[in-house]
Amino acid sequence: MAEKGASRGPMRRFWSLPRKRRGAPGRPKPDEIMHQDIVPLCAADIQEQLKRRFAYLSGGRGQDGSPVITFPDYPAFSEIPDKEFQSVMTYLTSIPSLQDAGIGFILVIDRRQDKWTSVKASVLRIAASFPANLQLVLVLRPTGFFQRTLSEIAFKFNRDDFKMKVPVIMLSSVPELHGYIDKSQLTEDLGGTLDYCHSRWLCHRTAIESFALMVKQTAQMLQSFGTELAETELPNDVQSTSSVLSTHTEKKDKAKEDLQLAQREGQRLLESLREPLAESSAHSVNQDQLDSQATVQRLLAQLNETEAAFHEFWAKHQQKLEQCLQLRHFEQGFREVKATLDTASQKIATFTDVGNSLAHVEHLLRSLASFEEKSSVAVERARALAQQGQQLIENKHYAVDSIHPKCEELQHLCHQFATEIGRRRGLLSKSQELHRLLETSMKWCDEGIYLLASQPVDKCQSQDGAEAALQEIEKFLETGEENKIQELSKIYKEYETILNPDLLDHVQKVFQKQESMQEMFHRRQASLKKLAAKQTRPVQPVAPRPEALTKSPCPSPGSWRGSENSGPEGSALRRGPYRRAKSEMSENRQGRDSSTGDEEEGLAILRRHVMNELLDTERAYVEELLSVLEGYAAEMENPLMTHLISTGLHNKKDVLFGNMEEIYHFHNRVFLRELERCTDCPELVGRCFLERMEDFQIYEKYCQNKPRSESLWRQCSACPFFQECQKKLDHKLSLDSYLLKPVQRITKYQLLLKEMLKYSRNCEGAEDLQEALSSILGILKAVNDSMHLIAITGYDGNLSDLGKLLMQGSFSVWTDHKKGHTKVKELARFKPMQRHLFLHEKAVLFCKKREENGEGYEKAPSYSYKQSLNMTAVGITENVKGDAKKFEIWYNAREEVYIVQAPTPEIKAAWVNEIRKVLTSQLQACREASQHRTLEQSHSLPLPAPSSTSPSGGNSRHVKKLEERKTDPLSLEGYVSSSLPKPPEKGKGWSKTSHSLEVPEDEGGWSSAEEPINSSDAEEDVGVGPKKLVPGKYTVVLDDEKGGPDTLAMRSGDVVEVVEEGAEGLWYVRDLSSGQEGWVPAGSLSALLGTSGSAQCLSSSESSPGSAVLSNSSSCSEGCPAPFSDLQG
């Protein structure tokens, strides 16, 4: 039940004073006007009667202090109604104090100008209706001789008629009156000196009574207000308490104003009563005037006492209301903080995932740190609230019993939250430690398998080579103490708290991989020890027959037979080395076969591991999609669940789930089954991806809808429908986590393909895996690009008309216009613009990146379109002086020049290459169209025109046409080649760059628009191109031991394998003995052609100086592996 307001104790002083009886002796003189049971008469009520002045109280006193009431000569006295006469008598007798009134009144009746008959009637009327005690009645009889004589005679004969309780004295003159009452107590009309003004007296009496009434009303108002405050129930919420406090404060201020107004009125009245004395110090004040002043002073004192009592009462009431408001704020904050901490604790309880990889665990740790940081606000607020509660307790709050338990609960919640966060962080740290150990072990196994695969078999056949290889293996095995899993049981015991079935299975697989790798090492060690332990037997020298010197070092069977017939000693000597060589060859073959077999077996195990992971995750992915579609999407159509769905979700199923159902059917019915067929041949899984690559385009639609889906989810995530569905499915994560699964899955494929490709280099499906990886990366890039494209605003045309989006990225851009103002040029030179460029096949768009707002997918940026350049009028300058990250894009023969600065030199090179491809494609299309027109004119034979100007399509068709005509590539004017080509991407092997486009040097820039497509000289400039490079092994014929940053140091006789042909007569090779790679001059190599001993030497002179090679086979995904930050996360 709500508490009551402050008690009434302090207020009783001004509304419960005891009443005093009239005439009670020995007591101070209270204001009887306020405390009479019967409402007294007021001067204002009988003002008209008092103005007649037929009777008045002058303030004079008798010798014993009796109040004197004077009845002046009033001719119409007999005409005064009895009621009015009675009211005036009652009022006049009520004015003197109880003490003076108790002595009795003296009545002075002035009838000097009247008749005896009127005197008699007046005296009898007064005596009959006088309401108070009478002490003496003095009558001034008529002054006329006849009337005076008549009155004496009549009074003697009618004395009995005037019998009263007090004597009635007939006076003949005023001097006789002075014998009874002093002149100073009589007014001037009775020969006295008393200063009396009836109108002033009437005004003062009215003011005093009005002030008394104001004091009474003020006291009653304060009494009523105090009762209201005392009986007010304290509210239970902050808003109501604030409202009550505000209302009571306003009423208090109003009551205080009324009180102060009454005090000011009393002060003015008191000054008015004291005014005559202030004007003249000789002025005498009668007793009634003194009584009036005393009355006003008593009323003012009572007001002051009332004010003090009310302030004391209000201070206590206000304090309680303020404490109540503090309590309500504390309780409201407690409820909010408790709800927040309870929600945070429930969310922590759902954080049971310990991660499936080191990166995942680190992500979980970051998520936990972010969650802890967000929750720290609530924790700090809870601690501050607990301190606030302790402060209230120290300040002696009236509700200590309610505050103290809440403070303890807040401290407990903070401690519990911190403990749970610490426990969760401890588990994740343990998981991080275990995953780091597992990844270290897997990396160690991979390095071991690579070591086995990289050991040259031919060098291991010799004793020295075998010992060296054996030392490498032993040295590597020594690193296993700190890199491998030592004891599985120890792992189980140490990480028991985090080992769930999935992680336990992962540990067992890693340990199995480690054991398999160690077994391969042991087998390799055994083989190498056999080779290293062989002892070379001494061979006795045998003088060769003269004719044998001219024979081949490998004698024919006939020569062996001839030597066998020469004698038993020769036969024995020759047979010994033959058998020994045969034995060594057999052992070498066994060692080589054993080493190769171990390596292949290890790679096969790794491929199976990757395949198993691919299948397991694919099955889990399909099951998760099915659970979402059945548990959420289908339930939105369930009539029994309609009441739980908010209005914002109605008819929004397609927005929330996108084309998830289409994705599910593709994986469940098609892709998963095809993957299962590759279980026994994991290296062939690339073909599955290639055959279904078009089907993967459905992910682009899903990702484009993801921002709308996330926006809808944020608006309706608190809907009871989702909570009910999650409860039925027993999902630990909410729906938004499952809606992210398709995005995560499409990015997972490229990681699995990379792993499979790493272990399938020499297998049958390696090329398919490489192509599948490139295609998946291309899809990711297309999805990523499309997400950016849909964010472009302000472009009037259709973006699809610009052709395929090749690249996009953010750059700093300076502009320079030939026709621009000089200051504008200089300003543009120093102030770059931040622009996001979109390179299409037919145009390049310049956009301004806007601020990123929101969370998740809504945080994706938006782009405001600024301008576009048609690629048919674009040229580029690859290098800008002073900065390796800048290049120029110029338009309309350099009328407009845009200096573009990339974030890194690599990004610049990728963009320059891609723009060059587009311009090359356009130039080739122009050349083909020119040739087409020439042939039509010369032979009148129609030739098909090129149907596409894309870089990939145009280049491939042109290369085929050049091969058919056996002509060289086109010469592109204006391109400047770099000093050394970049190394090829690791793992791609030989690229299809047999035919290349050579471009002579110029001023550093080139454009497809500069080629004279109608000129006949363009075809005459075609010369003889470089010879086709044949992949294979080559022998170094010239020493070059210095080497450069990108060149390979080599010695004559080294055997290398050519990886890729570069520009300016340089080839990129791999040293088979050391495994190092680098660029070497083609003239330093001699091809190994079987055992014929002939060699083909290609000198650097075959490549024209200053030329550069433009690869026709480079695609967007190969030439520019753009980071898929939006998708790969």
Side-chain angles (χ1 to χ4, degrees):
M1 186 174 179
E3 302 103 327
K4 293 283 186 179
S7 63
R8 317 183 189 180
M11 294 290 290
R12 291 183 179 175
R13 284 187 244 168
F14 64 87
W15 73 64
S16 300
L17 292 175
R19 297 205 172 110
K20 299 178 182 179
R21 294 176 292 106
R22 179 182 288 273
R27 291 179 180 264
K29 302 173 182 178
D31 184 27
E32 293 297 328
I33 298 176
M34 293 180 58
H35 302 292
Q36 290 179 352
D37 293 329
I38 300 174
V39 178
L41 286 173
C42 296
D45 297 333
I46 56 174
Q47 189 173 9
E48 294 299 325
Q49 292 86 335
L50 291 174
K51 284 182 179 180
R52 296 179 185 176
R53 200 172 174 266
F54 60 82
Y56 60 87
L57 188 66
S58 63
R61 291 290 186 269
Q63 294 178 356
D64 55 357
S66 301
V68 177
I69 296 178
T70 302
F71 291 87
D73 187 20
Y74 189 76
F77 184 80
S78 60
E79 297 176 3
I80 299 173
D82 292 340
K83 184 176 180 181
E84 294 181 3
F85 180 80
Q86 184 68 36
S87 297
V88 171
M89 291 297 102
T90 303
Y91 176 72
L92 292 177
T93 55
S94 67
I95 293 175
S97 64
L98 294 176
Q99 184 177 359
D100 292 346
I103 298 174
F105 289 86
I106 297 177
L107 302 183
V108 178
I109 304 173
D110 185 7
R111 290 293 182 266
R112 287 175 293 176
Q113 303 299 327
D114 207 349
K115 297 178 181 181
W116 167 246
T117 56
S118 299
V119 172
K120 179 180 179 182
S122 298
V123 171
L124 292 175
R125 185 178 185 181
I126 293 171
S129 61
F130 195 77
N133 296 333
L134 282 174
Q135 186 183 23
L136 182 64
V137 178
L138 300 175
V139 181
L140 286 174
R141 56 188 176 183
T143 56
F145 175 78
F146 176 76
Q147 293 296 333
R148 183 170 66 246
T149 305
L150 181 62
S151 62
E152 290 177 353
I153 298 172
F155 184 73
K156 291 178 181 179
F157 287 100
N158 298 294
R159 184 177 298 271
D160 293 338
D161 295 337
F162 295 97
K163 285 184 179 180
M164 302 175 71
K165 295 179 180 179
V166 293
V168 177
I169 300 175
M170 291 291 181
L171 302 176
S172 302
S173 62
V174 172
E176 293 181 15
L177 177 63
H178 295 165
Y180 293 94
I181 302 175
D182 190 81
K183 291 170 57 176
S184 62
Q185 302 299 319
L186 294 174
T187 58
E188 293 180 356
D189 56 347
L190 295 177
T193 60
L194 181 65
D195 182 21
Y196 174 78
C197 178
H198 187 69
S199 60
R200 183 175 61 188
W201 174 87
L202 184 59
C203 180
H204 283 169
R205 287 306 305 173
T206 305
I208 291 172
E209 291 168 0
S210 176
F211 175 60
L213 181 62
M214 178 184 291
V215 172
K216 181 178 181 180
Q217 290 175 348
T218 301
Q220 290 175 346
M221 180 269 296
L222 291 177
Q223 177 182 359
S224 175
F225 182 45
T227 304
E228 179 187 349
L229 297 184
E231 294 179 354
T232 299
E233 292 187 356
L234 300 180
N236 292 323
D237 60 281
V238 173
Q239 185 176 0
S240 299
T241 306
S242 300
S243 177
V244 168
L245 180 59
S246 176
T247 302
H248 285 187
T249 303
E250 290 178 1
K251 289 185 177 180
K252 185 267 298 183
D253 293 339
K254 179 65 169 59
K256 188 175 181 180
E257 288 180 4
D258 294 342
L259 193 62
Q260 291 175 347
L261 178 63
Q263 289 175 330
R264 289 194 297 270
E265 184 68 23
Q267 289 294 337
R268 284 196 299 270
L269 179 58
L270 186 61
E271 292 175 0
S272 176
L273 292 174
R274 292 173 177 175
E275 184 177 355
L277 185 61
E279 292 177 354
S280 175
S281 59
H283 180 76
S284 61
V285 180
N286 60 45
Q287 188 62 41
D288 284 351
Q289 291 175 336
L290 292 176
D291 290 344
S292 297
Q293 293 181 13
T295 299
V296 174
Q297 289 174 343
R298 284 197 303 273
L299 290 173
L300 285 174
Q302 183 176 352
L303 280 177
N304 293 334
E305 181 183 358
T306 300
E307 182 183 19
F310 179 72
H311 280 318
E312 181 182 354
F313 173 80
W314 169 254
K316 292 184 178 181
H317 181 74
Q318 184 182 27
Q319 180 184 11
K320 189 161 188 177
L321 279 180
E322 289 176 348
Q323 287 184 347
C324 177
L325 184 60
Q326 292 171 348
L327 178 64
R328 300 304 177 236
H329 276 295
F330 176 79
E331 291 173 343
Q332 180 177 347
F334 173 79
R335 290 191 294 269
E336 293 174 355
V337 169
K338 185 176 184 301
T340 304
L341 291 180
D342 288 343
T343 303
S345 299
Q346 293 174 1
K347 194 167 185 179
I348 293 178
T350 62
F351 291 167
T352 57
D353 194 0
V354 293
N356 52 26
S357 66
L358 181 60
H360 189 200
V361 175
E362 291 174 348
H363 172 71
L364 292 176
L365 280 170
R366 288 193 297 270
S367 299
L368 181 65
S370 175
F371 174 73
E372 183 180 13
E373 182 180 358
K374 293 179 181 178
S375 303
S376 63
V377 178
V379 174
E380 291 301 324
R381 185 183 176 192
R383 290 172 178 164
L385 200 61
Q387 292 179 356
Q388 180 183 347
Q390 292 296 336
Q391 190 66 34
L392 292 177
I393 294 174
E394 293 176 3
N395 293 338
K396 298 181 180 180
H397 195 281
Y398 71 87
V400 173
D401 295 339
S402 173
I403 297 173
H404 186 68
K406 291 182 174 64
C407 291
E408 291 184 344
E409 186 173 358
L410 286 173
Q411 294 171 353
H412 172 70
L413 288 173
C414 292
H415 177 72
Q416 182 181 6
F417 180 80
T419 303
E420 190 62 25
I421 285 286
R423 187 188 71 83
R424 176 64 185 164
R425 184 182 289 107
L427 290 177
L428 289 178
S429 299
K430 274 282 187 184
S431 178
Q432 184 183 29
E433 181 181 340
L434 177 59
H435 279 290
R436 186 174 285 115
L437 176 62
L438 295 176
E439 290 204 2
T440 302
S441 176
M442 292 178 65
K443 183 179 179 181
W444 183 70
C445 292
D446 293 340
E447 291 176 353
I449 294 173
Y450 180 77
L451 174 62
L452 293 179
S454 63
Q455 285 183 341
V457 179
D458 51 352
K459 289 190 176 182
C460 293
Q461 306 310 312
S462 65
Q463 185 176 1
D464 293 340
E467 289 179 352
L470 193 59
Q471 289 177 359
E472 286 183 357
I473 291 177
E474 290 174 352
K475 184 178 180 181
F476 177 78
L477 288 176
E478 290 176 358
T479 63
E481 295 298 326
E482 55 186 17
N483 292 324
K484 70 176 183 179
I485 300 175
Q486 300 295 339
E487 297 181 15
L488 205 57
S489 58
K490 185 178 179 181
I491 295 294
Y492 291 160
K493 183 177 180 181
E494 185 176 356
Y495 300 100
E496 180 181 4
T497 54
I498 61 171
L499 281 177
N500 54 33
D502 293 337
L503 189 53
L504 182 63
D505 183 60
H506 184 44
V507 171
Q508 292 173 349
K509 288 181 179 179
V510 173
F511 188 75
Q512 182 182 359
K513 176 180 179 180
Q514 179 181 295
E515 292 294 316
S516 301
M517 191 274 295
Q518 287 180 313
E519 184 180 353
M520 289 190 291
F521 264 82
H522 293 325
R523 287 202 298 266
R524 176 67 64 85
Q525 276 182 310
S527 302
L528 292 175
K529 286 179 179 179
K530 290 180 182 179
L531 294 174
K534 291 189 300 180
Q535 300 295 330
T536 305
R537 299 177 184 176
V539 179
Q540 296 185 8
V542 179
R545 296 160 64 181
E547 63 273 14
L549 295 174
T550 60
K551 301 278 185 175
S552 172
C554 297
S556 65
S559 64
W560 281 110
R561 283 194 298 270
S563 65
E564 288 174 1
N565 296 332
S566 62
E569 292 182 1
S571 174
L573 289 172
R574 295 185 188 91
R575 193 181 300 118
Y578 172 75
R579 292 176 179 174
R580 192 160 54 248
K582 185 176 181 181
S583 175
E584 291 178 1
M585 292 174 62
S586 176
E587 290 178 1
N588 289 343
R589 188 179 300 111
Q590 291 177 0
R592 190 182 302 113
D593 293 343
S594 175
S595 176
T596 305
D598 292 344
E599 181 182 354
E600 287 299 326
E601 183 179 354
L603 293 175
I605 292 173
L606 295 174
R607 288 195 296 271
R608 283 196 295 272
H609 284 324
V610 177
M611 190 65 199
N612 289 337
E613 182 180 359
L614 176 60
L615 283 172
D616 292 343
T617 53
E618 185 72 15
R619 294 188 184 102
Y621 174 55
V622 171
E623 291 176 0
E624 288 171 343
L625 292 182
L626 180 61
S627 68
V628 172
L629 291 172
E630 291 183 347
Y632 287 98
E635 288 297 309
M636 292 183 73
E637 309 291 339
N638 187 354
L640 300 178
M641 301 286 284
T642 306
H643 66 286
L644 298 176
I645 301 177
S646 61
T647 55
L649 277 176
H650 289 164
N651 302 321
K652 295 294 181 63
K653 176 181 174 182
D654 293 338
V655 175
L656 185 61
F657 297 98
N659 61 331
M660 180 181 284
E661 185 174 358
E662 183 182 5
I663 294 174
Y664 166 73
H665 288 313
F666 162 64
H667 285 271
N668 183 51
R669 298 173 182 175
V670 180
F671 194 62
L672 177 58
R673 297 179 184 179
E674 293 183 358
L675 289 179
E676 290 172 343
R677 296 193 191 104
C678 298
T679 305
D680 297 330
C681 300
E683 62 275 6
L684 301 181
V685 75
R687 179 53 51 188
C688 294
F689 282 90
L690 291 176
E691 291 177 351
R692 298 298 172 186
M693 202 53 63
E694 291 185 3
D695 295 319
F696 280 104
Q697 302 295 332
I698 57 179
Y699 280 91
E700 184 172 345
K701 179 180 178 182
Y702 186 85
C703 293
Q704 289 178 351
N705 179 69
K706 198 68 175 70
R708 299 174 60 208
S709 175
E710 280 209 344
S711 177
L712 179 61
W713 166 255
R714 272 191 299 276
Q715 297 173 14
C716 307
S717 58
C719 179
F721 169 77
F722 295 122
Q723 300 172 5
E724 183 66 23
C725 292
Q726 182 178 351
K727 183 178 179 180
K728 288 182 179 179
L729 293 171
D730 196 21
H731 280 178
K732 296 179 180 179
L733 300 177
S734 55
L735 175 60
D736 59 325
S737 299
Y738 290 91
L739 294 177
L740 196 60
K741 293 292 183 181
V743 181
Q744 295 171 337
R745 187 59 183 170
I746 191 64
T747 57
K748 179 75 172 177
Y749 286 132
Q750 52 104 2
L751 300 177
L752 294 171
L753 286 173
K754 285 179 181 177
E755 285 292 309
M756 185 67 77
L757 182 61
K758 184 166 67 174
Y759 306 133
S760 307
R761 288 296 182 191
N762 300 321
C763 296
E764 177 184 352
E767 292 184 1
D768 289 341
L769 286 171
Q770 180 63 57
E771 189 176 352
L773 175 60
S774 300
S775 300
I776 284 291
L777 291 175
I779 288 178
L780 291 178
K781 182 179 183 298
V783 170
N784 186 44
D785 291 344
S786 67
M787 298 288 288
H788 288 274
L789 276 180
I790 62 176
I792 295 178
T793 59
Y795 184 74
D796 294 334
N798 190 350
L799 291 174
S800 60
D801 296 338
L802 303 180
K804 181 181 178 182
L805 176 62
L806 304 177
M807 301 186 77
Q808 52 87 19
S810 295
F811 299 88
S812 297
V813 179
W814 290 261
T815 61
D816 189 8
H817 301 277
K818 285 184 178 181
K819 298 180 180 180
H821 195 274
T822 304
K823 291 185 178 180
V824 175
K825 291 183 179 180
E826 294 177 354
L827 185 63
R829 198 172 299 168
F830 296 105
K831 288 191 176 181
M833 299 177 293
Q834 299 302 318
R835 291 292 182 261
H836 200 88
L837 272 60
F838 293 86
L839 177 61
H840 292 261
E841 291 176 331
K842 298 181 181 179
V844 57
L845 269 62
F846 289 76
C847 299
K848 184 175 182 180
K849 189 175 183 179
R850 295 300 181 186
E851 292 295 329
E852 301 177 2
N853 298 316
E855 298 179 356
Y857 272 82
E858 279 197 355
K859 200 174 180 180
S862 62
Y863 305 98
S864 296
Y865 168 77
K866 294 299 180 182
Q867 65 187 116
S868 61
L869 304 178
N870 195 326
M871 292 302 293
T872 58
V874 163
I876 62 169
T877 302
E878 181 173 349
N879 295 316
V880 176
K881 293 181 180 180
D883 196 337
K885 296 183 291 185
K886 289 182 180 179
F887 63 97
E888 288 183 352
I889 300 177
W890 37 272
Y891 195 62
N892 287 339
R894 302 188 67 86
E895 181 177 325
E896 299 177 15
V897 178
Y898 301 88
I899 301 174
V900 181
Q901 184 183 46
T904 64
E906 291 74 16
I907 294 178
K908 168 210 166 179
W911 273 74
V912 169
N913 290 337
E914 199 64 38
I915 294 174
R916 191 189 308 130
K917 289 178 186 178
V918 175
L919 300 181
T920 302
S921 173
Q922 293 177 354
L923 183 58
Q924 291 171 353
C926 292
R927 285 287 183 86
E928 289 180 0
S930 177
Q931 293 175 1
H932 184 194
R933 287 193 298 270
T934 302
L935 290 175
E936 281 185 343
Q937 293 173 1
S938 59
H939 302 287
S940 300
L941 294 176
L943 294 176
S947 58
S948 173
T949 61
S950 65
S952 58
N955 286 355
S956 60
R957 286 192 297 274
H958 187 58
V959 168
K960 292 180 180 180
K961 188 174 294 184
L962 291 177
E963 289 178 353
E964 292 173 0
R965 299 181 181 179
K966 297 182 180 180
T967 60
D968 287 339
L970 296 174
S971 174
L972 302 179
E973 298 176 1
Y975 172 70
V976 179
S977 64
S978 57
S979 59
L980 274 178
K982 290 187 178 181
E985 294 183 15
K986 187 176 180 181
K988 287 195 176 182
W990 277 86
S991 62
K992 302 174 182 179
T993 58
S994 299
H995 296 275
S996 61
L997 299 176
E998 295 182 359
V999 187
E1001 289 187 23
D1002 198 14
E1003 296 178 356
W1006 63 279
S1007 167
S1008 61
E1010 296 178 1
E1011 180 66 20
I1013 58 176
N1014 294 324
S1015 174
S1016 60
D1017 296 337
E1019 296 180 7
E1020 294 174 0
D1021 292 338
V1022 179
V1024 180
K1027 295 181 180 180
K1028 184 177 180 181
L1029 178 66
V1030 179
K1033 296 180 180 179
Y1034 288 75
T1035 302
V1036 178
V1037 295
L1038 295 176
D1039 290 345
D1040 183 9
E1041 297 183 355
K1042 295 181 180 180
D1046 295 323
T1047 58
L1048 179 66
M1050 56 189 181
R1051 294 177 296 177
S1052 178
D1054 289 348
V1055 178
V1056 297
E1057 182 181 10
V1058 178
V1059 178
E1060 184 177 4
E1061 180 185 12
E1064 299 183 359
L1066 295 176
W1067 290 355
Y1068 194 85
V1069 301
R1070 181 187 299 111
D1071 192 338
L1072 295 180
S1073 60
S1074 64
Q1076 297 180 351
E1077 298 179 356
W1079 294 98
V1080 299
S1084 301
L1085 304 181
S1086 174
L1088 296 177
L1089 302 177
T1091 59
S1092 64
S1094 64
Q1096 180 182 4
C1097 181
L1098 302 177
S1099 66
S1100 61
S1101 61
E1102 293 175 335
S1103 297
S1104 60
S1107 65
V1109 178
L1110 301 180
S1111 172
N1112 288 328
S1113 62
S1114 298
S1115 65
C1116 298
S1117 58
E1118 293 175 352
C1120 178
F1124 301 100
S1125 58
D1126 293 358
L1127 291 177
Q1128 292 175 333

